[in-house]
Amino acid sequence: MAMNLPVSGGRDFKNVPGGMHLAICNLLVDAGLQPGSPKFPQVKHRIYLRFETPGHRVEYEHDGKKIEGPLTIGNWYVASMNSKSILRQHLEGWRGKRFTDEEAGAFDIETVLGKPCTIMVMEGEDGKTYLRGIGPAPKSCSIKAENPLLFYGPDSPREAYDKLPEWLRKKIDAQVKPEPVQASGGSDYQSWDDGSDIPF
């Protein structure tokens, strides 16, 4: 089951409103093994995806300057491409096509960075909004991310860690144990570009 958190960063952020929105993925974080909740105590390897929504804007201050930019919303996923995992279901909705198990096992999750999509946002009982589904972007969509694309994983340079919001750095620092680095002579990841309109 996915653990859903609002993107707050410790400040009073405006929520992305409920409904279907055009969005683009601009952040992917591998947070390692994370402790569970009282209801679901099992430790799980989790990743975090964040999306910016160009149709919804917010003004904020950064380094003494007023900046206007897209609202963002994120979602936590168990790092699994099992056929029943929320991550795989959302990715299949995004690409508009199911994965075979072979494709799912070889899929490079980093390829979602910078890709447009539509997201389904719903309001929770707490009044905050949460990402509940992902679908493909319209074929004519050519939006680009306004914020720099950022990936963070166990082997990422320190600069990538330093660019993360403080609350995400705390999650990474609180992981149960670092993920072991697996030595490999090459990548097992493959590109599944078959010439269709599937984004990845």
Side-chain angles (χ1 to χ4, degrees), residues 3 5 12 14 39-40 45 52 55 62 65 67 80-81 99 102 121 141 150 175 177 189-190:
M3 180 173 70
L5 295 175
D12 185 19
K14 183 179 174 184
K39 189 174 181 181
F40 301 101
H45 184 180
E52 58 182 54
H62 182 69
K65 296 180 180 178
I67 300 173
S80 169
M81 287 294 280
F99 287 105
E102 180 187 5
V121 177
C141 179
L150 180 59
Q175 63 184 289
K177 64 178 180 180
Y189 293 133
Q190 300 177 32

Side-chain angles (χ1 to χ4, degrees), residues 173-185:
D173 295 342
Q175 63 184 289
V176 175
K177 64 178 180 180
E179 286 292 291
V181 177
Q182 297 181 359
S184 174

Side-chain angles (χ1 to χ4, degrees), residues 74-142:
N75 202 36
W76 285 102
Y77 297 93
V78 174
S80 169
M81 287 294 280
N82 180 281
S83 62
K84 295 182 179 178
S85 73
I86 300 297
L87 176 62
R88 180 163 166 179
Q89 292 171 20
H90 279 194
L91 290 173
E92 288 177 337
W94 190 344
R95 73 198 299 254
K97 181 182 178 183
R98 291 188 181 276
F99 287 105
T100 65
D101 285 342
E102 180 187 5
E103 290 172 339
F107 180 68
D108 181 357
I109 188 67
E110 285 186 63
T111 60
V112 305
L113 275 173
K115 297 291 194 305
C117 60
T118 54
I119 57 173
M120 168 58 78
V121 177
M122 297 180 67
E123 186 173 314
E125 292 181 0
D126 57 4
K128 297 175 182 176
T129 55
Y130 299 87
L131 192 155
R132 297 302 190 199
I134 306 178
K139 291 183 179 180
S140 59
C141 179
S142 60

